[in-house]
Amino acid sequence: MSEQLLLVKRAIKGNEEAFLDLMHVHQEALYRTAISFLKNEEDALEAVQEVTYRAFKHIGKLKEPAYFKTWVTRIMMNYCQDEIRKSKRELVEDDLLHLIGVEENFTFLEIEEALKHLTDYERELLHLKYFEDIKIKDIAIMWKTPEGTIKTRLHKALRSLRHQFEGKGEMKRV
């Protein structure tokens, strides 16, 4: 049994130190998820704090310890979606680009622009699969959807993204 799985089991039983260790392991991934959705460093940091609180409050409800990362990522995505709905903000700031190391590479902007044309569902799916590197099997469990359906929807999302690039003469990127 992996060390991380043991930490999750201890956290589920109420061990605060194990929970904090887990959050330290996943805080960078949670921050990346938050910043990709909220596009603001301050909001992303607040999101990590809020999600840490929510995860701590509900860790006892986690049924499958092996899926801690997908569970906490889902909490983050739900929080971010709620915040976006509240604020309706979608601006990409120059500071954000420097923060994530994309100073002179405009590929990030092109991808962000293309992603705006997808549905929320498609964006979340692509984010989980390609930005967070979560397996299709885990996404299927998290969303309570058959793996085959996730694969089909992922293929459709990629096709939509490809279509966005084809419109700009960039079809070999996707």
Side-chain angles (χ1 to χ4, degrees):
M1 185 177 301
S2 76
E3 183 179 324
Q4 200 170 110
L5 193 55
L6 289 173
L7 280 176
V8 174
K9 287 183 177 183
R10 287 181 24 221
I12 289 172
K13 290 179 182 175
N15 185 317
E16 294 177 11
E17 190 174 315
F19 179 79
L20 288 176
D21 289 346
L22 277 172
M23 292 311 290
H24 283 293
V25 169
H26 297 289
Q27 71 182 8
E28 190 175 321
L30 290 173
Y31 178 76
R32 281 194 318 265
T33 299
I35 202 128
S36 71
F37 277 85
L38 301 174
K39 319 255 186 262
N40 178 300
E41 183 180 357
E42 186 176 312
D43 292 343
L45 291 172
E46 187 175 319
V48 171
Q49 289 176 346
E50 179 62 26
V51 168
T52 300
Y53 168 74
R54 289 180 184 186
F56 180 72
K57 188 176 174 185
H58 298 288
I59 187 74
K61 296 178 183 176
L62 178 61
K63 294 177 182 169
E64 182 55 57
Y67 297 116
F68 176 80
K69 182 180 180 183
T70 55
W71 177 73
V72 76
T73 301
R74 186 70 202 172
I75 292 171
M76 176 60 79
M77 293 174 74
N78 288 342
Y79 174 82
C80 291
Q81 292 290 350
D82 289 346
E83 290 300 307
I84 289 170
R85 278 188 213 110
K86 285 179 191 172
S87 66
K88 301 286 184 192
R89 95 183 80 120
E90 292 189 5
L91 295 175
V92 177
E93 298 177 11
D94 289 341
D95 292 343
L96 170 66
L97 297 177
H98 294 290
L99 180 70
I100 58 176
V102 188
E103 291 179 38
E104 306 236 346
N105 184 351
F106 294 102
T107 302
F108 175 77
L109 287 176
E110 292 172 288
I111 291 172
E112 281 290 315
E113 182 63 29
L115 287 172
K116 286 180 184 176
H117 295 283
L118 302 179
T119 65
D120 289 345
Y121 182 89
E122 290 171 330
R123 272 195 305 272
E124 284 183 34
L125 187 57
L126 290 174
H127 178 83
L128 288 173
K129 176 65 182 149
Y130 296 107
F131 294 104
E132 293 303 322
D133 199 29
I134 295 177
K135 296 176 184 170
I136 289 173
K137 176 184 167 192
D138 295 341
I139 295 170
I141 290 169
M142 187 168 59
W143 287 1
K144 299 176 183 163
T145 305
E147 278 185 58
T149 303
I150 294 294
K151 288 178 185 175
T152 301
R153 291 176 180 169
L154 186 61
H155 178 73
K156 183 182 172 201
L158 286 172
R159 191 173 51 216
S160 295
L161 190 62
R162 185 175 296 123
H163 177 73
Q164 292 301 318
F165 280 109
E166 284 175 351
K168 296 177 182 177
E170 301 279 345
M171 70 183 196
K172 291 186 177 179
R173 289 190 170 191
V174 182

